[in-house]
C-alpha cells in the first residue's frame, strides 16, 4: 500500500498511517482473542496462528467448496427424490401414464423443484453441522459437506434418473444411514485409525498429490470448472474451451478455445497466481470474487444469467438475494421396508467400501498437508475427527443427502494459514449465513471456482518430494495412486490400486524371507539329524566294546 499509487496522491503519508493503524488494530484484535477463552480453547498461540488468519482461511475454504450447495442438490434431484407418479399432472379426462416421471410433466416438475429446494437446505445444514463439529470437537481446520461420488452413485446407480432404478430414494437414504452408523462404530472402537496406519507410507503421501490432480481435473472440466478439458470420442478427453458445447455431454461443437467464460476464468487464475506470488493474503478469494462479479452482469458473453428460460429463472431467483426455504419432503425420508434384498446389501457394501477408503484417505491427507501428522503417523484430534467425519453422514442421511465427509477443498484454507478449528467454525458460520443468502451463493459460476481448484491442486503436489522415487517398490504404487484418481474419477480407486501394487511388490521380500527361513530350518534339521546320528554311533561303539 505504501509503494503504489496511494503515496503519490497523498504526500502527507495518510495511506501509510491508515495502513499502520489497521495493522495495529488487527494485532490488538488477534492478541485479545488469543488470550481469551476462545483463543486458548482453539490453541491459537500454541499452533502459531491468529484470529484473522483463521477467518481468511475459513473464507477461502467456504468459497472453494460453496459450489456443492447447488451441485449436490442438482444431482440428487435427478433421482426424483420422494416424487412419484402420484405427483404427475393428469390430462383432462385421462389417467396418469406410468412413464409420466420420465417425460415432461408440469406436476412432476413442480415436485422436483420443491425437492431441489429441500436438498439445497439439507446440503447446507449437513455441511454446517459437520463443519461446526469438526472445529469444536477435533480443533482441525477442515470443512465438511456431502461428497461428490456417493451422491452420483445413489442418484444414477441406485435410485436411477427420476426413480427409474431398483431402489427407492427412501431406501437409499436408509442405506446411507446404516452405512454411517457402521462407519461411526468402527471409528469409535479405533479401528478406522488403525486402518489409516495400515496404508503404506508411499500410498499415503501420494494420496495428497493424487487428490490434487483429481481436483485440478475437476476445475478444468466443462460443467464444474473453466471448461478447458472436455470429452472426445477418439481420445476420451481433449482441449475444448469451445464457444458452443453439447449441454449434456460437454462435447465441443464449434469454436474451440473461443469460450468467453474460459478466458475470464483464466484472468481469475492469473489474479490468484499473482497474489500468491506476492504473498497477498486471501488471493484465492480475490480471484473468485472478480470472476463472479463480472459474470453477474447481464447482457455480456460471460454472464451467468443469459436471456434464456433457464437464465431468466436463475436471474429471478438471484434477485431475491435473501430467501429461506423449509425442508418439506427429504428430512426423515427413511424406509427399511425393502431392506432385505440383494441390491440393498450390495449397495451398502459398496458405499461402505468407498467411504472407508476415500474419506479416510482424504482426512489423513488433509492432516498431512496441514503438517499435523507426527512421526508416529497420528495427529492431534484424530479420534474426534474420525467420529465427526462419520457421524456427519448419519446427520446428512436424516436430512436427505448422501455421505457427508471431510472436503479436499479444505486444503485451500490450510494454504491460507488455517491451523485450528476456528477455520472450520468459520466455514460453518458461512454455511449458516448461506441458509438466508442462497440466491447469491448458488449463483457463483463454475468458471469462477475452477481456477481455485487448479491452484489447490498445485499446492497439493508438493508432497511428492517426500516419496523415494529411487525405490521402485515405493515409486510405482505412489505413481499409480496419483494416476488412477483423475483417470478413473475416483479417489478410492487410486488408493486401492496403490495398496494392491504395494502388496504385490512386497511379495518378493516375503518370499525371500520365507525361503531364508526354510533354509535355516533345513540346516537346523540336518544339524539335529547329524547330532542324533553321531550320538547313536557313539552308543553303538560303546555297546560293542
Amino acid at each position: 500500500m505504501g509503494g503504489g499509487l496511494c503515496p503519490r496522491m497523498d504526500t502527507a503519508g495518510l495511506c501509510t498511517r491508515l495502513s499502520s493503524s489497521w495493522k495495529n488494530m488487527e494485532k490488538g484484535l488477534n492478541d485479545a482473542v488469543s488470550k481469551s477463552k476462545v483463543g486458548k480453547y482453539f490453541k491459537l498461540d500454541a499452533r502459531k496462528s491468529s484470529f484473522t488468519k483463521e477467518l481468511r482461511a475459513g473464507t477461502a475454504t467456504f468459497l472453494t467448496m460453496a459450489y456443492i450447495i447447488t451441485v449436490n442438490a442438482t444431482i440428487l434431484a435427478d433421482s426424483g427424490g420422494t416424487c412419484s407418479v402420484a405427483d404427475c399432472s393428469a390430462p383432462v379426462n385421462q389417467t396418469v401414464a406410468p412413464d409420466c416421471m420420465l417425460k415432461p410433466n408440469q406436476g412432476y416438475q413442480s415436485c422436483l423443484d420443491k425437492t431441489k429446494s429441500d436438498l439445497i437446505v439439507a446440503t447446507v445444514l449437513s455441511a454446517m453441522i459437520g463443519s461446526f463439529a469438526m472445529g469444536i470437537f477435533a480443533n482441525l481446520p477442515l470443512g465438511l459437506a456431502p461428497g461428490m461420488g456417493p451422491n452420483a452413485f445413489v442418484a444414477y446407480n441406485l435410485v436411477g434418473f427420476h426413480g427409474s432404478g431398483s431402489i427407492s430414494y427412501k431406501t437409499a437414504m436408509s442405506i446411507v444411514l446404516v452405512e454411517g452408523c457402521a462407519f461411526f462404530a468402527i471409528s469409535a472402537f479405533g479401528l478406522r485409525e488403525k486402518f489409516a496406519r495400515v496404508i503404506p507410507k508411499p500410498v499415503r503421501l501420494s494420496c495428497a498429490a493424487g487428490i490434487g490432480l483429481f481436483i485440478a481435473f475437476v476445475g478444468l472440466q466443462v460443467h464444474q470448472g473453466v471448461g478447458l478439458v472436455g470429452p472426445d470420442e477418439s481420445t476420451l478427453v481433449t482441449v475444448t474451451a469451445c464457444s458452443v458445447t453439447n449441454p449434456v455431454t460437454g462435447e465441443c461443437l464449434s469454436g474451440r478455445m473461443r469460450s468467453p467464460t474460459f478466458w475470464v476464468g483464466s484472468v481469475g487464475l492469473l489474479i490468484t497466481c499473482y497474489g500468491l506470488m506476492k504473498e497477498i493474503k486471501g488471493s484465492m478469494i480475490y480471484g473468485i470474487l472478480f470472476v463472479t462479479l463480472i459474470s453477474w452482469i447481464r447482457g455480456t458473453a460471460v454472464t451467468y444469467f443469459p436471456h434464456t428460460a433457464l437464465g431468466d429463472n436463475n436471474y429471478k431467483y438471484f434477485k431475491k438475494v435473501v430467501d429461506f426455504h423449509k425442508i418439506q419432503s427429504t428430512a426423515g425420508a427413511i424406509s427399511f421396508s425393502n431392506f432385505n434384498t440383494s441390491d440393498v446389501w450390495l449397495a451398502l457394501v459398496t458405499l461402505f467400501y468407498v467411504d472407508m477408503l476415500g474419506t479416510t484417505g482424504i482426512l489423513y491427507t488433509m492432516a498431512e498437508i496441514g503438517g499435523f501428522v507426527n512421526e508416529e503417523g497420528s495427529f492431534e484430534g484424530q479420534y474426534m475427527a474420525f467420529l465427526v467425519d462419520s457421524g456427519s453422514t448419519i446427520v446428512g442421511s436424516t436430512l436427505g443427502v448422501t455421505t457427508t465427509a471431510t472436503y479436499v477443498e479444505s486444503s485451500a484454507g490450510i494454504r491460507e494459514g488455517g491451523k485450528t478449528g476456528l477455520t472450520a467454525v468459520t466455514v460453518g458460520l458461512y454455511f449458516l449465513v448461506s441458509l438466508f443468502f442462497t440466491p447469491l451463493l448458488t449463483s457463483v459460476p463454475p468458471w469462477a471456482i475452477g481456477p481455485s481448484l487448479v491452484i489447490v491442486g498445485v499446492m497439493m503436489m508438493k508432497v511428492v518430494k517426500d516419496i523415494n522415487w529411487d525405490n521402485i517398490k515405493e515409486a510405482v504404487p505412489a505413481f499409480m495412486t496419483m494416476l488412477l484418481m483423475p483417470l478413473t474419477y475416483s479417489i478410492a480407486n487410486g488408493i486401492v490400486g496403490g495398496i494392491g501394487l504395494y502388496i504385490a511388490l512386497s511379495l518378493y521380500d516375503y518370499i525371500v524371507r520365507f525361503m531364508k527361513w526354510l533354509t535355516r530350518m533345513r540346516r537346523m534339521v540336518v544339524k539335529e539329524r547329524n547330532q542324533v546320528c553321531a550320538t547313536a554311533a557313539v552308543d553303538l561303539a560303546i555297546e560293542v566294546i
Side-chain angles (χ1 to χ4, degrees), residues 356-543:
M356 171 63 80
L357 295 177
T359 60
T360 302
I362 292 173
L363 181 57
Y364 208 90
T365 298
M366 292 302 103
E368 289 269 10
I369 294 173
F372 306 125
V373 180
N374 56 28
E375 295 179 356
E376 288 74 27
S378 60
F379 54 92
E380 185 179 356
Q382 177 175 284
Y383 181 75
M384 290 305 303
F386 284 140
L387 287 180
V388 170
D389 191 62
S390 54
S392 297
T393 294
I394 300 176
V395 175
S397 63
T398 59
L399 293 172
V401 294
T402 52
T403 306
T404 303
T406 304
Y407 246 57
V408 293
E409 283 82 357
S410 299
S411 55
I414 294 175
R415 177 64 183 80
E416 287 293 336
K419 297 180 180 179
T420 74
L422 268 178
T423 295
V425 171
T426 302
V427 174
L429 288 173
Y430 275 118
F431 275 114
L432 174 62
V433 173
S434 69
L435 284 173
F436 305 95
F437 293 94
T438 304
L440 295 180
L441 295 172
T442 55
S443 299
V444 178
W447 53 88
I449 298 297
S452 64
L453 298 182
V454 174
I455 294 299
V456 168
V458 173
M459 301 306 173
M460 295 177 70
M461 291 298 295
K462 66 180 182 179
V463 296
V464 298
K465 71 179 186 301
D466 297 324
I467 299 173
N468 185 4
W469 294 105
D470 293 327
N471 186 345
I472 294 298
K473 180 183 175 182
E474 295 189 9
V476 174
F479 179 75
M480 191 58 64
T481 300
M482 291 185 288
L483 188 66
L484 287 179
M485 286 186 182
L487 293 187
T488 64
Y489 214 75
S490 170
I491 294 171
N493 287 345
I495 298 174
V496 170
I499 293 177
L501 261 177
Y502 187 87
I503 294 175
L505 295 178
S506 298
L507 288 177
Y508 173 80
D509 294 333
Y510 295 140
I511 293 174
V512 170
R513 292 174 185 173
F514 181 70
M515 294 301 295
K516 289 182 178 179
W517 178 80
L518 285 180
T519 303
R520 288 198 302 269
M521 292 298 296
R522 181 176 178 278
R523 289 176 180 174
M524 291 176 61
V525 170
V526 171
K527 183 177 180 181
E528 289 293 335
R529 185 184 301 169
N530 291 337
Q531 290 179 350
V532 171
C533 293
T535 303
V538 171
D539 293 341
L540 180 61
I542 293 174
E543 291 180 1

Side-chain angles (χ1 to χ4, degrees), residues 59-131:
T59 303
T61 297
F62 173 76
L63 288 177
T64 308
M65 64 186 290
Y67 70 92
I68 195 60
I69 296 176
T70 50
V71 172
N72 183 64
T74 300
I75 291 175
L76 289 178
D78 280 345
S79 70
T82 57
C83 298
S84 63
V85 176
D87 297 297
C88 294
S89 299
V92 180
N93 298 326
Q94 295 183 21
T95 58
V96 177
D99 61 347
C100 66
M101 298 187 300
L102 302 177
K103 296 180 179 180
N105 184 283
Q106 184 177 356
Y108 190 76
Q109 185 60 48
S110 177
C111 181
L112 285 180
D113 292 339
K114 294 178 182 178
T115 299
K116 184 175 180 180
S117 297
D118 287 350
L119 290 170
I120 287 177
V121 177
T123 301
V124 171
L125 284 175
S126 59
M128 179 191 72
I129 295 172
S131 298

Side-chain angles (χ1 to χ4, degrees), residues 31 107 294 327 390 394:
D31 289 342
I294 293 295
I327 301 179
S390 54
I394 300 176

Side-chain angles (χ1 to χ4, degrees), residues 6 24 123 155 268 312:
C6 191
N24 290 334
T123 301
D312 291 339

